[in-house]
Amino acid sequence: MKIVKDVRFWASTIGVTLLGMLSGISATNARAYYQELTLPSFAPPGWLFGPVWIVLYILMGVTFYLILIHPSETQKKVMIPLFIVQFILNFLWSPIFFGLQNNLLAVVDITALWILLVIQQLYYLRHKPLAMWLMGPYFLWVTFASVLSYSILFLN
């Protein structure tokens, strides 16, 4: 299978996954801080976040690979920056929320991330539908995380 032999596939998938996990690792005392918060009734248990994010980062890595091999250079010039900026916003959320324990700034970050993901998903729908579907679970999780973040901001 050609895709499995393509180094860009593995570099994208593993690279995005590892970078994403670094964000969570860099968030010191995440478990303790999460347990101290007043959480809404729909807040998931803390242990769920790690496994969910691993799957989401793998899907994001595959998406990044699909963007890198996309045949249209013009479309790649839009898709690559969209992906990178959303990834940076994603990466920053954990250190802001857990490290700085700044719920307001975390809400600003995740709101910007969600808006960018809407734009990204619409662009992917038009130019790379498979990427849109691969990013769908991530978009849904960020939507849920946004509601959770706003709820935590208001409850605390």
Side-chain angles (χ1 to χ4, degrees):
M1 203 169 157
K2 184 181 177 190
I3 191 170
V4 174
K5 294 179 182 177
D6 192 339
V7 172
R8 292 172 298 183
F9 172 78
W10 295 108
S12 306
T13 305
I14 294 169
V16 167
T17 303
L18 290 176
L19 283 173
M21 290 171 62
L22 280 177
S23 173
I25 292 169
S26 71
T28 57
N29 299 322
R31 178 172 286 141
Y33 180 62
Y34 189 71
Q35 290 173 346
E36 290 173 8
L37 293 168
T38 302
L39 299 171
S41 60
F42 60 86
W47 63 264
L48 183 63
F49 291 96
V52 167
W53 276 110
I54 289 171
V55 171
L56 295 177
Y57 284 129
I58 290 168
L59 292 173
M60 288 168 57
V62 173
T63 300
F64 192 54
Y65 169 76
L66 292 174
I67 293 166
L68 292 176
I69 65 165
H70 192 67
S72 169
E73 290 299 319
T74 304
Q75 292 171 9
K76 281 185 354 185
K77 286 180 183 177
V78 174
M79 289 190 276
I80 290 173
L82 277 174
F83 185 90
I84 290 171
V85 173
Q86 70 78 22
F87 190 81
I88 291 168
L89 289 171
N90 172 304
F91 187 90
L92 291 173
W93 187 89
S94 287
I96 291 169
F97 184 81
F98 294 112
L100 298 177
Q101 297 181 2
N102 188 328
N103 297 341
L104 178 60
L105 189 55
V107 163
V108 170
D109 176 81
I110 204 163
T111 301
L113 172 59
W114 188 85
I115 291 168
L116 190 60
L117 285 175
V118 169
I119 294 165
Q120 180 179 309
Q121 286 296 84
L122 291 172
Y123 194 84
Y124 288 172
L125 175 63
R126 187 168 178 201
H127 301 288
K128 193 68 178 171
L130 180 56
M132 183 209 65
W133 288 108
L134 287 169
M135 293 292 279
Y138 171 55
F139 176 74
L140 293 173
W141 184 259
V142 170
T143 300
F144 172 73
S146 298
V147 173
L148 182 60
S149 294
Y150 273 91
S151 298
I152 289 172
L153 176 65
F154 292 123
L155 290 172
N156 294 274

